[in-house]
Amino acid sequence: MKLKVYITLLVSFITIAISAQDAALTATVSKNKLGVNQRLRIEFSINKQGGDNFTPPNFTNFKIVGGPSQSVSQSWINGKVSFNQSYTFILQPLQKGEFNIPSASIEIEGKTIKSNPIKIIVLDAIDIPKNPNDPSYIAEQNIHLVAEVSKSQPYVGEGVYIEYRLYVSDNVSIYDFGVTEAPQYNGFWNQEIKVNGTPVKIGTYNGERHRYAVLHKALLIPTTSGKLTIDPMKMDIVVAVPTGKADFFGNLITRQIRKEFSSAKKVINAKALPLQNKPEDFTGAVGQFSFDVSLSKNTLKANESSQIRVAVNGKGNLKLFELPKIETPKELEVYQPERKESVSVLSDGLKGSVTDSYTVVPEYKGKYKIPKVSFSYFNPKEKVYQTITTDDLYVDVLEGKEITTNSDNNAAIKQDVKVTGSDFRYIQTSTSFQPKQREDFFKSIIFYILLLVPILAIPVGIFIHKKKEERDGDVIGNKLRKADKLAKKYLSEAQKQLGNKEAFYEALERALHNYLKAKLNVETSDISREKITELLANKNVDSTTIHSFIDVFNDCDFARYTPITNVQMKEEYEKAKQLITQLDRQL
């Protein structure tokens, strides 16, 4: 008896909860665009019980080839009650054109509720295989790999981004996927933009509702003008396709197939920078920047050091141009600058700062002028060149050697000795020290060592000085050694990042680029796989080593889209080390 009471109360509670909802009749279609020889499904759903006298719309210009079929569902999850009753029709258009399916209606509690009208576009007939239920054909119609570019006509040096999306309709499901061929960005400097996971979102593709996920995103900066083609990304996807049959419980039976999908080629027309009003000191900077030159110390003594900081801040192609060089008086010794970069990759370009720090060491006393420096860049938004000029800087050396000349006016002037009371003090003639017996220092081992060390140090010092002069005079060699040092540094950084896929492959690729820059004397922005192959072949490097080196670059790209284990990363690291060793022997 109590059980019947509980059931009655529960049913009453659910009925009250459902009746408290606002009634709404919605219409959805499987596709908004179709060929005249295709079909579409339209579904009218009501979210409240008690509906009566459902009246479908007048399907003018369409033929009903199926339906209406009805279904009812009701659920109670986490205290929330939901109800749905649907009426489904299968339609086939009778002619081409743009048509509106008017509203359906239903009566609830004495009120008439109408659905939303839907716009349908009917196009020319499309090629349909002999078997429209072919799983490959169904998968092809319901899955789309799309590449979207933010700008199709950028200037050379202006950043654009590309985004690869995978759209999947509600008719099929995906069980597994993997990238078989990564996109190639020939003619671009490129940098991957990190995507935090692959969250599934709801969007529209060709006017139809789809689920989609962003698989890959990259910043592209064209390095040359003209038509630049981005080759497609290719993927293998395991798709669950409905067979049109149901099991004993009424659940739809699906069939899994593996199919390759490819994005379309993208063409970007890169515009050359204008020649009109182009500044003479322009080195390729494109974006919006600020420029500053500063001294860490304005006043110092001889042999003390000061830092001259040349900095560019802003957003643009920060890694693809040279900073202005400073000019200093010959009395100031200036060392090669140290480059520091603090740059982040955003969807609309690189943002941050690039700084060259010069160490200046004066030798002579005096006040020295560091002339003003100018920096020019092209602003793509305003489509004009802009120049920033800094003020003159002055270094005041208070103590140090005087600059000698042959003029008699600079001869030394004799001065009288000035005696003060503290210059000469009383010298004590008697002491309380006691004599101590010890060995005579003269002719001891320490005596001869101290005697010979200065004599031996003279030729060693001369040899080291000559080597230093030769090394300082080798400007190209210094640049190559610096780049080679960077390559070793980035290889060690890649080793530290083992286990962290994104950071590891980014550090490994950067190490290979800097190694090539050191050995082949080419700028990083000019490096492409075709140019690497050409340059190494001209250096008589064997084709096997060249292909292996290119494979490491391709592996770095490919690894960004697929799961990678720590063992595979360790193998890639060892392979890169061996290839650098092989290239060193052949170069």
Side-chain angles (χ1 to χ4, degrees), residues 179-190:
V179 176
T180 58
E181 188 173 324
Q184 300 296 317
Y185 305 120
N186 297 322
F188 296 92
W189 180 93
N190 68 88

Side-chain angles (χ1 to χ4, degrees), residues 263-547:
S263 63
K265 281 188 177 182
K266 289 291 181 179
V267 176
I268 291 181
N269 294 304
K271 298 182 290 186
L273 297 176
L275 297 177
Q276 186 178 4
N277 300 323
K278 183 178 180 180
E280 293 183 1
D281 61 348
F282 178 72
T283 59
V286 178
Q288 296 87 42
F289 303 106
S290 62
F291 178 63
D292 181 61
V293 179
S294 59
L295 270 169
S296 61
K297 290 182 183 178
N298 294 320
T299 304
L300 60 159
K301 300 177 183 179
N303 298 322
E304 282 187 346
S305 65
S306 178
Q307 299 288 327
I308 302 178
R309 182 176 174 274
V310 180
V312 172
N313 294 270
K315 186 166 63 176
N317 58 342
L318 283 165
K319 294 187 177 183
L320 302 180
F321 59 84
E322 291 295 325
L323 296 184
K325 305 297 182 184
I326 61 169
E327 296 181 3
T328 58
K330 61 182 180 180
E331 291 82 7
L332 299 178
E333 185 176 2
V334 181
Y335 293 88
Q336 288 294 324
E338 178 186 0
R339 172 64 60 90
K340 292 182 180 179
E341 295 181 356
S342 177
V343 179
S344 57
V345 182
L346 305 177
S347 59
D348 55 349
L350 299 172
K351 185 177 182 180
S353 64
V354 178
T355 305
D356 278 349
S357 294
Y358 296 80
T359 299
V360 179
V361 180
E363 186 177 357
Y364 299 98
K365 179 180 178 181
K367 190 170 185 178
Y368 304 100
K369 174 183 174 182
I370 298 175
K372 58 188 177 183
V373 184
S374 62
F375 169 70
S376 298
Y377 64 95
F378 180 76
N379 189 327
K381 289 187 177 180
E382 299 181 7
K383 300 180 181 180
V384 293
Y385 290 98
Q386 296 178 338
T387 300
I388 303 173
T389 304
T390 63
D391 297 328
D392 295 332
L393 298 178
Y394 293 90
V395 178
D396 196 1
V397 184
L398 301 179
E399 297 181 13
K401 295 187 293 185
E402 298 284 352
I403 299 178
T404 58
T405 63
N406 294 327
S407 173
D408 293 338
N409 295 331
N410 292 327
I413 302 174
K414 184 177 180 180
Q415 297 181 353
D416 295 332
V417 177
K418 296 181 180 180
V419 180
T420 64
S422 60
D423 284 341
F424 299 97
R425 301 177 185 273
Y426 171 72
I427 301 175
Q428 187 174 352
T429 57
S430 61
T431 68
S432 59
F433 292 110
Q434 298 296 325
K436 182 179 179 181
Q437 297 294 330
R438 61 183 180 81
E439 296 181 0
D440 192 2
F441 177 70
F442 180 65
K443 295 184 180 180
S444 65
I445 295 176
I446 298 177
F447 170 78
Y448 286 110
I449 291 175
L450 295 176
L451 181 65
L452 293 174
V453 165
I455 299 175
L456 295 175
I458 293 173
V460 174
I462 294 173
F463 177 78
I464 293 174
H465 181 70
K466 287 183 177 180
K467 287 295 181 182
K468 184 178 182 301
E469 286 183 342
E470 292 176 2
R471 190 182 182 93
D472 292 342
D474 185 11
V475 178
I476 296 177
N478 285 334
K479 290 183 178 180
L480 295 179
R481 279 188 288 273
K482 183 177 179 182
D484 193 37
K485 183 178 178 181
L486 283 174
K488 294 178 181 177
K489 169 188 172 184
Y490 285 125
L491 269 179
S492 64
E493 180 65 23
Q495 188 179 25
K496 295 177 185 177
Q497 298 295 342
L498 283 169
N500 186 351
K501 185 181 76 170
E502 298 292 342
F504 169 76
Y505 282 102
E506 184 177 344
L508 183 63
E509 188 173 7
R510 189 160 53 231
L512 297 177
H513 274 264
N514 280 283
Y515 173 77
L516 292 173
K517 183 177 180 180
K519 293 298 180 183
L520 303 179
N521 195 24
V522 294
E523 290 298 326
T524 308
S525 59
D526 295 335
I527 291 180
S528 64
R529 286 160 176 74
E530 292 77 10
K531 188 164 185 177
I532 291 171
T533 303
E534 179 185 349
L535 292 172
L536 292 179
N538 292 337
K539 295 289 185 178
N540 297 322
V541 177
D542 64 75
S543 59
T544 304
T545 305
I546 295 175
H547 290 314

Side-chain angles (χ1 to χ4, degrees), residues 485-501 503-512 548-549 551-553 555-556 559 564-582:
K485 183 178 178 181
L486 283 174
K488 294 178 181 177
K489 169 188 172 184
Y490 285 125
L491 269 179
S492 64
E493 180 65 23
Q495 188 179 25
K496 295 177 185 177
Q497 298 295 342
L498 283 169
N500 186 351
K501 185 181 76 170
F504 169 76
Y505 282 102
E506 184 177 344
L508 183 63
E509 188 173 7
R510 189 160 53 231
L512 297 177
S548 299
F549 200 82
D551 286 343
V552 175
F553 276 112
D555 291 344
C556 289
I564 297 294
T565 64
N566 292 348
V567 175
Q568 290 173 299
M569 281 189 268
K570 181 67 175 175
E571 291 175 353
E572 290 288 356
Y573 176 78
E574 294 298 333
K575 183 179 179 181
K577 284 177 59 178
Q578 293 175 6
L579 282 171
I580 289 177
T581 303
Q582 293 175 11

Side-chain angles (χ1 to χ4, degrees), residues 196-217:
N196 296 325
T198 53
V200 177
K201 302 178 182 179
I202 302 299
T204 301
Y205 180 77
N206 281 343
E208 301 176 22
R209 181 184 182 276
H210 283 71
R211 296 160 291 163
Y212 76 90
V214 177
L215 303 179
H216 175 63
K217 205 172 183 181

